[in-house]
mmCIF file of all heavy atoms in Angstrom:
data_model
loop_
_atom_site.group_PDB
_atom_site.id
_atom_site.type_symbol
_atom_site.label_atom_id
_atom_site.label_comp_id
_atom_site.label_asym_id
_atom_site.label_seq_id
_atom_site.Cartn_x
_atom_site.Cartn_y
_atom_site.Cartn_z
ATOM 1 N N GLY B 1 -11.120 -11.424 -0.108
ATOM 2 C CA GLY B 1 -11.920 -10.868 0.974
ATOM 3 C C GLY B 1 -11.457 -11.200 2.378
ATOM 4 O O GLY B 1 -12.211 -11.025 3.344
ATOM 5 N N ALA B 2 -10.226 -11.695 2.525
ATOM 6 C CA ALA B 2 -9.702 -12.011 3.861
ATOM 7 C C ALA B 2 -8.188 -11.832 3.860
ATOM 8 O O ALA B 2 -7.573 -11.611 2.817
ATOM 9 C CB ALA B 2 -10.056 -13.437 4.244
ATOM 10 N N ARG B 3 -7.588 -11.920 5.043
ATOM 11 C CA ARG B 3 -6.134 -11.824 5.127
ATOM 12 C C ARG B 3 -5.496 -12.955 4.330
ATOM 13 O O ARG B 3 -5.949 -14.092 4.365
ATOM 14 C CB ARG B 3 -5.684 -11.891 6.584
ATOM 15 C CG ARG B 3 -4.191 -11.672 6.759
ATOM 16 C CD ARG B 3 -3.794 -11.544 8.208
ATOM 17 N NE ARG B 3 -3.948 -12.815 8.933
ATOM 18 C CZ ARG B 3 -3.675 -12.972 10.215
ATOM 19 N NH1 ARG B 3 -3.280 -11.933 10.922
ATOM 20 N NH2 ARG B 3 -3.833 -14.148 10.803
ATOM 21 N N ASP B 4 -4.424 -12.614 3.609
ATOM 22 C CA ASP B 4 -3.733 -13.623 2.806
ATOM 23 C C ASP B 4 -3.151 -14.704 3.724
ATOM 24 O O ASP B 4 -2.529 -14.388 4.749
ATOM 25 C CB ASP B 4 -2.607 -12.951 2.004
ATOM 26 C CG ASP B 4 -2.043 -13.872 0.939
ATOM 27 O OD1 ASP B 4 -1.302 -14.809 1.301
ATOM 28 O OD2 ASP B 4 -2.353 -13.658 -0.243
ATOM 29 N N PRO B 5 -3.322 -15.967 3.380
ATOM 30 C CA PRO B 5 -2.822 -17.057 4.226
ATOM 31 C C PRO B 5 -1.320 -16.998 4.485
ATOM 32 O O PRO B 5 -0.839 -17.484 5.516
ATOM 33 C CB PRO B 5 -3.191 -18.325 3.425
ATOM 34 C CG PRO B 5 -4.345 -17.909 2.577
ATOM 35 C CD PRO B 5 -4.072 -16.478 2.216
ATOM 36 N N SER B 6 -0.575 -16.421 3.532
ATOM 37 C CA SER B 6 0.883 -16.364 3.683
ATOM 38 C C SER B 6 1.367 -15.063 4.319
ATOM 39 O O SER B 6 2.569 -14.777 4.316
ATOM 40 C CB SER B 6 1.551 -16.536 2.311
ATOM 41 O OG SER B 6 1.189 -15.459 1.442
ATOM 42 N N TYR B 7 0.444 -14.283 4.879
ATOM 43 C CA TYR B 7 0.798 -12.974 5.436
ATOM 44 C C TYR B 7 1.883 -13.096 6.503
ATOM 45 O O TYR B 7 1.810 -13.928 7.414
ATOM 46 C CB TYR B 7 -0.448 -12.322 6.038
ATOM 47 C CG TYR B 7 -0.181 -10.976 6.668
ATOM 48 C CD1 TYR B 7 -0.056 -9.836 5.881
ATOM 49 C CD2 TYR B 7 -0.038 -10.848 8.046
ATOM 50 C CE1 TYR B 7 0.197 -8.606 6.458
ATOM 51 C CE2 TYR B 7 0.217 -9.620 8.629
ATOM 52 C CZ TYR B 7 0.334 -8.500 7.837
ATOM 53 O OH TYR B 7 0.587 -7.280 8.404
ATOM 54 N N ASP B 8 2.899 -12.224 6.364
ATOM 55 C CA ASP B 8 4.018 -12.192 7.310
ATOM 56 C C ASP B 8 4.197 -10.751 7.772
ATOM 57 O O ASP B 8 4.666 -9.901 7.016
ATOM 58 C CB ASP B 8 5.284 -12.710 6.628
ATOM 59 C CG ASP B 8 6.491 -12.772 7.567
ATOM 60 O OD1 ASP B 8 6.525 -12.009 8.556
ATOM 61 O OD2 ASP B 8 7.412 -13.566 7.293
ATOM 62 N N GLU B 9 3.843 -10.459 8.993
ATOM 63 C CA GLU B 9 3.881 -9.091 9.524
ATOM 64 C C GLU B 9 5.282 -8.490 9.442
ATOM 65 O O GLU B 9 5.458 -7.319 9.093
ATOM 66 C CB GLU B 9 3.403 -9.078 10.977
ATOM 67 C CG GLU B 9 3.400 -7.699 11.633
ATOM 68 C CD GLU B 9 2.276 -6.811 11.136
ATOM 69 O OE1 GLU B 9 1.227 -7.324 10.725
ATOM 70 O OE2 GLU B 9 2.454 -5.575 11.162
ATOM 71 N N THR B 10 6.297 -9.279 9.733
ATOM 72 C CA THR B 10 7.678 -8.784 9.704
ATOM 73 C C THR B 10 8.081 -8.361 8.292
ATOM 74 O O THR B 10 8.675 -7.293 8.088
ATOM 75 C CB THR B 10 8.649 -9.866 10.207
ATOM 76 O OG1 THR B 10 8.287 -10.235 11.534
ATOM 77 C CG2 THR B 10 10.080 -9.342 10.191
ATOM 78 N N GLN B 11 7.745 -9.177 7.313
ATOM 79 C CA GLN B 11 8.078 -8.885 5.922
ATOM 80 C C GLN B 11 7.387 -7.605 5.442
ATOM 81 O O GLN B 11 7.998 -6.745 4.813
ATOM 82 C CB GLN B 11 7.671 -10.057 5.031
ATOM 83 C CG GLN B 11 7.994 -9.849 3.553
ATOM 84 C CD GLN B 11 7.396 -10.919 2.663
ATOM 85 O OE1 GLN B 11 6.355 -11.512 3.008
ATOM 86 N NE2 GLN B 11 8.039 -11.185 1.534
ATOM 87 N N VAL B 12 6.106 -7.491 5.754
ATOM 88 C CA VAL B 12 5.341 -6.327 5.313
ATOM 89 C C VAL B 12 5.815 -5.063 6.019
ATOM 90 O O VAL B 12 5.933 -3.998 5.406
ATOM 91 C CB VAL B 12 3.831 -6.546 5.550
ATOM 92 C CG1 VAL B 12 3.042 -5.307 5.152
ATOM 93 C CG2 VAL B 12 3.338 -7.753 4.767
ATOM 94 N N SER B 13 6.095 -5.155 7.305
ATOM 95 C CA SER B 13 6.558 -3.990 8.068
ATOM 96 C C SER B 13 7.860 -3.452 7.504
ATOM 97 O O SER B 13 8.076 -2.237 7.434
ATOM 98 C CB SER B 13 6.737 -4.357 9.546
ATOM 99 O OG SER B 13 5.493 -4.672 10.140
ATOM 100 N N GLU B 14 8.735 -4.339 7.086
ATOM 101 C CA GLU B 14 10.007 -3.928 6.494
ATOM 102 C C GLU B 14 9.766 -3.222 5.164
ATOM 103 O O GLU B 14 10.395 -2.201 4.860
ATOM 104 C CB GLU B 14 10.915 -5.142 6.293
ATOM 105 C CG GLU B 14 12.319 -4.798 5.835
ATOM 106 C CD GLU B 14 13.105 -3.973 6.839
ATOM 107 O OE1 GLU B 14 12.854 -4.117 8.058
ATOM 108 O OE2 GLU B 14 13.970 -3.169 6.409
ATOM 109 N N ALA B 15 8.838 -3.744 4.370
ATOM 110 C CA ALA B 15 8.524 -3.148 3.071
ATOM 111 C C ALA B 15 7.940 -1.747 3.220
ATOM 112 O O ALA B 15 8.167 -0.868 2.381
ATOM 113 C CB ALA B 15 7.538 -4.034 2.306
ATOM 114 N N MET B 16 7.205 -1.498 4.298
ATOM 115 C CA MET B 16 6.552 -0.212 4.504
ATOM 116 C C MET B 16 7.529 0.894 4.894
ATOM 117 O O MET B 16 7.167 2.065 4.943
ATOM 118 C CB MET B 16 5.460 -0.325 5.565
ATOM 119 C CG MET B 16 4.282 -1.196 5.160
ATOM 120 S SD MET B 16 3.458 -0.645 3.642
ATOM 121 C CE MET B 16 2.721 0.882 4.209
ATOM 122 N N LYS B 17 8.780 0.534 5.162
ATOM 123 C CA LYS B 17 9.796 1.535 5.496
ATOM 124 C C LYS B 17 10.340 2.236 4.253
ATOM 125 O O LYS B 17 11.024 3.255 4.357
ATOM 126 C CB LYS B 17 10.947 0.875 6.258
ATOM 127 C CG LYS B 17 10.554 0.346 7.636
ATOM 128 C CD LYS B 17 11.741 -0.326 8.324
ATOM 129 C CE LYS B 17 11.329 -0.893 9.691
ATOM 130 N NZ LYS B 17 12.478 -1.579 10.357
ATOM 131 N N ALA B 18 10.034 1.717 3.085
ATOM 132 C CA ALA B 18 10.540 2.285 1.831
ATOM 133 C C ALA B 18 9.952 3.675 1.591
ATOM 134 O O ALA B 18 8.831 3.965 2.014
ATOM 135 C CB ALA B 18 10.189 1.373 0.663
ATOM 136 N N PRO B 19 10.700 4.566 0.917
ATOM 137 C CA PRO B 19 10.194 5.918 0.650
ATOM 138 C C PRO B 19 9.096 5.941 -0.411
ATOM 139 O O PRO B 19 8.367 6.925 -0.532
ATOM 140 C CB PRO B 19 11.439 6.671 0.178
ATOM 141 C CG PRO B 19 12.329 5.610 -0.384
ATOM 142 C CD PRO B 19 12.092 4.401 0.463
ATOM 143 N N GLU B 20 8.977 4.867 -1.198
ATOM 144 C CA GLU B 20 7.932 4.786 -2.208
ATOM 145 C C GLU B 20 7.078 3.555 -1.936
ATOM 146 O O GLU B 20 7.592 2.447 -1.815
ATOM 147 C CB GLU B 20 8.535 4.736 -3.612
ATOM 148 C CG GLU B 20 9.338 5.993 -3.944
ATOM 149 C CD GLU B 20 9.867 6.003 -5.373
ATOM 150 O OE1 GLU B 20 9.443 5.134 -6.172
ATOM 151 O OE2 GLU B 20 10.700 6.873 -5.683
ATOM 152 N N ILE B 21 5.773 3.780 -1.834
ATOM 153 C CA ILE B 21 4.837 2.714 -1.497
ATOM 154 C C ILE B 21 3.866 2.505 -2.650
ATOM 155 O O ILE B 21 3.242 3.450 -3.126
ATOM 156 C CB ILE B 21 4.039 3.051 -0.219
ATOM 157 C CG1 ILE B 21 4.984 3.340 0.958
ATOM 158 C CG2 ILE B 21 3.068 1.927 0.121
ATOM 159 C CD1 ILE B 21 5.839 2.166 1.389
ATOM 160 N N ALA B 22 3.748 1.251 -3.085
ATOM 161 C CA ALA B 22 2.808 0.906 -4.150
ATOM 162 C C ALA B 22 1.677 0.073 -3.555
ATOM 163 O O ALA B 22 1.916 -1.015 -3.019
ATOM 164 C CB ALA B 22 3.510 0.126 -5.253
ATOM 165 N N ILE B 23 0.474 0.586 -3.636
ATOM 166 C CA ILE B 23 -0.710 -0.153 -3.192
ATOM 167 C C ILE B 23 -1.454 -0.637 -4.433
ATOM 168 O O ILE B 23 -1.773 0.147 -5.324
ATOM 169 C CB ILE B 23 -1.654 0.736 -2.351
ATOM 170 C CG1 ILE B 23 -0.929 1.259 -1.106
ATOM 171 C CG2 ILE B 23 -2.909 -0.028 -1.958
ATOM 172 C CD1 ILE B 23 -1.768 2.218 -0.281
ATOM 173 N N LYS B 24 -1.702 -1.932 -4.472
ATOM 174 C CA LYS B 24 -2.429 -2.500 -5.615
ATOM 175 C C LYS B 24 -3.696 -3.168 -5.116
ATOM 176 O O LYS B 24 -3.660 -3.991 -4.199
ATOM 177 C CB LYS B 24 -1.555 -3.515 -6.354
ATOM 178 C CG LYS B 24 -2.194 -4.069 -7.618
ATOM 179 C CD LYS B 24 -1.217 -5.007 -8.330
ATOM 180 C CE LYS B 24 -1.802 -5.564 -9.613
ATOM 181 N NZ LYS B 24 -0.847 -6.467 -10.305
ATOM 182 N N VAL B 25 -4.810 -2.809 -5.737
ATOM 183 C CA VAL B 25 -6.109 -3.374 -5.381
ATOM 184 C C VAL B 25 -6.673 -4.085 -6.604
ATOM 185 O O VAL B 25 -6.790 -3.489 -7.672
ATOM 186 C CB VAL B 25 -7.078 -2.267 -4.921
ATOM 187 C CG1 VAL B 25 -8.472 -2.836 -4.687
ATOM 188 C CG2 VAL B 25 -6.555 -1.591 -3.658
ATOM 189 N N SER B 26 -7.005 -5.352 -6.448
ATOM 190 C CA SER B 26 -7.620 -6.130 -7.524
ATOM 191 C C SER B 26 -9.061 -6.427 -7.141
ATOM 192 O O SER B 26 -9.327 -7.016 -6.083
ATOM 193 C CB SER B 26 -6.847 -7.433 -7.739
ATOM 194 O OG SER B 26 -5.507 -7.165 -8.116
ATOM 195 N N LEU B 27 -9.991 -5.993 -8.007
ATOM 196 C CA LEU B 27 -11.416 -6.126 -7.712
ATOM 197 C C LEU B 27 -12.027 -7.396 -8.290
ATOM 198 O O LEU B 27 -13.043 -7.893 -7.783
ATOM 199 C CB LEU B 27 -12.177 -4.916 -8.243
ATOM 200 C CG LEU B 27 -11.799 -3.566 -7.641
ATOM 201 C CD1 LEU B 27 -12.504 -2.444 -8.382
ATOM 202 C CD2 LEU B 27 -12.145 -3.509 -6.165
ATOM 203 N N GLY B 28 -11.437 -7.909 -9.370
ATOM 204 C CA GLY B 28 -11.942 -9.142 -9.957
ATOM 205 C C GLY B 28 -13.292 -9.035 -10.617
ATOM 206 O O GLY B 28 -14.041 -10.024 -10.694
ATOM 207 N N LEU B 29 -13.638 -7.845 -11.119
ATOM 208 C CA LEU B 29 -14.962 -7.635 -11.715
ATOM 209 C C LEU B 29 -14.940 -7.366 -13.219
ATOM 210 O O LEU B 29 -15.958 -7.527 -13.884
ATOM 211 C CB LEU B 29 -15.662 -6.468 -11.014
ATOM 212 C CG LEU B 29 -15.912 -6.590 -9.516
ATOM 213 C CD1 LEU B 29 -16.555 -5.309 -8.991
ATOM 214 C CD2 LEU B 29 -16.777 -7.791 -9.212
ATOM 215 N N GLY B 30 -13.817 -6.917 -13.744
ATOM 216 C CA GLY B 30 -13.766 -6.536 -15.151
ATOM 217 C C GLY B 30 -12.359 -6.204 -15.587
ATOM 218 O O GLY B 30 -11.379 -6.640 -14.967
ATOM 219 N N LYS B 31 -12.261 -5.370 -16.618
ATOM 220 C CA LYS B 31 -10.957 -5.020 -17.183
ATOM 221 C C LYS B 31 -10.545 -3.575 -16.892
ATOM 222 O O LYS B 31 -9.504 -3.115 -17.366
ATOM 223 C CB LYS B 31 -10.968 -5.255 -18.692
ATOM 224 C CG LYS B 31 -11.164 -6.719 -19.075
ATOM 225 C CD LYS B 31 -11.119 -6.913 -20.582
ATOM 226 C CE LYS B 31 -11.284 -8.388 -20.946
ATOM 227 N NZ LYS B 31 -11.247 -8.601 -22.418
ATOM 228 N N GLY B 32 -11.351 -2.849 -16.134
ATOM 229 C CA GLY B 32 -11.034 -1.455 -15.826
ATOM 230 C C GLY B 32 -9.808 -1.328 -14.941
ATOM 231 O O GLY B 32 -9.668 -2.055 -13.949
ATOM 232 N N ARG B 33 -8.923 -0.406 -15.323
ATOM 233 C CA ARG B 33 -7.678 -0.205 -14.559
ATOM 234 C C ARG B 33 -7.307 1.261 -14.557
ATOM 235 O O ARG B 33 -7.479 1.960 -15.553
ATOM 236 C CB ARG B 33 -6.539 -1.015 -15.188
ATOM 237 C CG ARG B 33 -5.224 -0.976 -14.415
ATOM 238 C CD ARG B 33 -4.143 -1.754 -15.165
ATOM 239 N NE ARG B 33 -2.933 -1.889 -14.388
ATOM 240 C CZ ARG B 33 -1.988 -0.944 -14.287
ATOM 241 N NH1 ARG B 33 -2.129 0.210 -14.957
ATOM 242 N NH2 ARG B 33 -0.904 -1.135 -13.547
ATOM 243 N N ASP B 34 -6.766 1.745 -13.446
ATOM 244 C CA ASP B 34 -6.262 3.115 -13.384
ATOM 245 C C ASP B 34 -5.231 3.239 -12.274
ATOM 246 O O ASP B 34 -5.099 2.349 -11.418
ATOM 247 C CB ASP B 34 -7.403 4.110 -13.154
ATOM 248 C CG ASP B 34 -7.108 5.475 -13.758
ATOM 249 O OD1 ASP B 34 -5.980 5.687 -14.236
ATOM 250 O OD2 ASP B 34 -7.999 6.339 -13.751
ATOM 251 N N ARG B 35 -4.515 4.356 -12.329
ATOM 252 C CA ARG B 35 -3.410 4.599 -11.387
ATOM 253 C C ARG B 35 -3.421 6.057 -10.981
ATOM 254 O O ARG B 35 -3.603 6.944 -11.806
ATOM 255 C CB ARG B 35 -2.087 4.254 -12.065
ATOM 256 C CG ARG B 35 -0.831 4.811 -11.429
ATOM 257 C CD ARG B 35 0.350 4.588 -12.372
ATOM 258 N NE ARG B 35 1.565 5.222 -11.918
ATOM 259 C CZ ARG B 35 1.907 6.480 -12.177
ATOM 260 N NH1 ARG B 35 1.097 7.255 -12.887
ATOM 261 N NH2 ARG B 35 3.047 6.977 -11.742
ATOM 262 N N VAL B 36 -3.234 6.323 -9.701
ATOM 263 C CA VAL B 36 -3.119 7.701 -9.223
ATOM 264 C C VAL B 36 -1.926 7.800 -8.270
ATOM 265 O O VAL B 36 -1.445 6.790 -7.744
ATOM 266 C CB VAL B 36 -4.401 8.177 -8.495
ATOM 267 C CG1 VAL B 36 -5.608 8.091 -9.409
ATOM 268 C CG2 VAL B 36 -4.639 7.392 -7.215
ATOM 269 N N LEU B 37 -1.456 9.017 -8.085
ATOM 270 C CA LEU B 37 -0.347 9.278 -7.170
ATOM 271 C C LEU B 37 -0.808 10.151 -6.013
ATOM 272 O O LEU B 37 -1.633 11.051 -6.181
ATOM 273 C CB LEU B 37 0.790 9.993 -7.904
ATOM 274 C CG LEU B 37 1.536 9.218 -8.980
ATOM 275 C CD1 LEU B 37 2.556 10.120 -9.660
ATOM 276 C CD2 LEU B 37 2.225 7.989 -8.393
ATOM 277 N N THR B 38 -0.249 9.882 -4.843
ATOM 278 C CA THR B 38 -0.492 10.731 -3.682
ATOM 279 C C THR B 38 0.740 10.632 -2.775
ATOM 280 O O THR B 38 1.796 10.168 -3.199
ATOM 281 C CB THR B 38 -1.783 10.324 -2.950
ATOM 282 O OG1 THR B 38 -2.080 11.287 -1.932
ATOM 283 C CG2 THR B 38 -1.673 8.954 -2.302
ATOM 284 N N CYS B 39 0.584 11.060 -1.539
ATOM 285 C CA CYS B 39 1.674 10.969 -0.568
ATOM 286 C C CYS B 39 1.066 10.667 0.792
ATOM 287 O O CYS B 39 -0.153 10.631 0.953
ATOM 288 C CB CYS B 39 2.482 12.263 -0.524
ATOM 289 S SG CYS B 39 1.514 13.709 -0.062
ATOM 290 N N ASP B 40 1.919 10.462 1.776
ATOM 291 C CA ASP B 40 1.412 10.197 3.114
ATOM 292 C C ASP B 40 0.958 11.495 3.784
ATOM 293 O O ASP B 40 1.198 12.598 3.264
ATOM 294 C CB ASP B 40 2.461 9.477 3.962
ATOM 295 C CG ASP B 40 3.792 10.223 4.030
ATOM 296 O OD1 ASP B 40 4.018 11.147 3.209
ATOM 297 O OD2 ASP B 40 4.623 9.886 4.898
ATOM 298 N N LEU B 41 0.294 11.364 4.903
ATOM 299 C CA LEU B 41 -0.199 12.512 5.671
ATOM 300 C C LEU B 41 0.508 12.518 7.018
ATOM 301 O O LEU B 41 0.321 11.622 7.846
ATOM 302 C CB LEU B 41 -1.714 12.416 5.858
ATOM 303 C CG LEU B 41 -2.399 13.535 6.645
ATOM 304 C CD1 LEU B 41 -2.173 14.878 5.974
ATOM 305 C CD2 LEU B 41 -3.888 13.248 6.772
ATOM 306 N N THR B 42 1.341 13.547 7.242
ATOM 307 C CA THR B 42 2.181 13.598 8.433
ATOM 308 C C THR B 42 1.815 14.766 9.349
ATOM 309 O O THR B 42 1.029 15.634 8.986
ATOM 310 C CB THR B 42 3.659 13.751 8.028
ATOM 311 O OG1 THR B 42 3.831 15.039 7.406
ATOM 312 C CG2 THR B 42 4.079 12.666 7.045
ATOM 313 N N LYS B 43 2.426 14.785 10.501
ATOM 314 C CA LYS B 43 2.218 15.889 11.450
ATOM 315 C C LYS B 43 2.660 17.217 10.844
ATOM 316 O O LYS B 43 2.101 18.265 11.148
ATOM 317 C CB LYS B 43 3.000 15.624 12.740
ATOM 318 C CG LYS B 43 2.486 14.442 13.549
ATOM 319 C CD LYS B 43 3.337 14.222 14.787
ATOM 320 C CE LYS B 43 2.846 13.021 15.583
ATOM 321 N NZ LYS B 43 3.704 12.766 16.779
ATOM 322 N N GLU B 44 3.662 17.173 9.981
ATOM 323 C CA GLU B 44 4.158 18.406 9.381
ATOM 324 C C GLU B 44 3.113 19.045 8.475
ATOM 325 O O GLU B 44 3.053 20.270 8.359
ATOM 326 C CB GLU B 44 5.448 18.140 8.595
ATOM 327 C CG GLU B 44 6.130 19.424 8.129
ATOM 328 C CD GLU B 44 7.436 19.179 7.402
ATOM 329 O OE1 GLU B 44 7.912 18.031 7.388
ATOM 330 O OE2 GLU B 44 7.979 20.148 6.832
ATOM 331 N N TYR B 45 2.269 18.229 7.826
ATOM 332 C CA TYR B 45 1.202 18.793 7.001
ATOM 333 C C TYR B 45 0.287 19.663 7.858
ATOM 334 O O TYR B 45 -0.094 20.766 7.468
ATOM 335 C CB TYR B 45 0.381 17.680 6.338
ATOM 336 C CG TYR B 45 -0.776 18.201 5.526
ATOM 337 C CD1 TYR B 45 -0.624 18.516 4.180
ATOM 338 C CD2 TYR B 45 -2.025 18.423 6.110
ATOM 339 C CE1 TYR B 45 -1.672 19.025 3.437
ATOM 340 C CE2 TYR B 45 -3.080 18.938 5.379
ATOM 341 C CZ TYR B 45 -2.901 19.230 4.049
ATOM 342 O OH TYR B 45 -3.929 19.765 3.321
ATOM 343 N N VAL B 46 -0.043 19.167 9.035
ATOM 344 C CA VAL B 46 -0.898 19.922 9.953
ATOM 345 C C VAL B 46 -0.188 21.195 10.397
ATOM 346 O O VAL B 46 -0.781 22.279 10.445
ATOM 347 C CB VAL B 46 -1.281 19.069 11.175
ATOM 348 C CG1 VAL B 46 -2.123 19.874 12.158
ATOM 349 C CG2 VAL B 46 -2.027 17.811 10.746
#
């Protein structure tokens, strides 16, 4: 529920330059798991 103590803005910013981005969310409530695919939203979409 808070920023990770080891958070490094430079490291994360570099990772976000990759053409494929994996976002993982852990809820800690049970065993339910799922995965979906999408893409970014750019000016070209508009």
Side-chain angles (χ1 to χ4, degrees):
R3 185 172 69 180
D4 192 286
S6 63
Y7 179 79
D8 183 335
E9 180 74 28
T10 301
Q11 181 189 28
V12 177
S13 294
E14 187 63 30
M16 294 302 291
K17 294 179 182 179
E20 298 184 11
I21 304 296
I23 300 176
K24 185 177 181 180
V25 174
S26 299
L27 298 173
L29 300 177
K31 296 182 179 180
R33 185 183 187 278
D34 209 353
R35 162 190 173 273
V36 301
L37 293 176
T38 188
C39 60
D40 55 345
L41 180 60
T42 66
K43 293 178 181 178
E44 189 178 351
Y45 177 89
V46 178

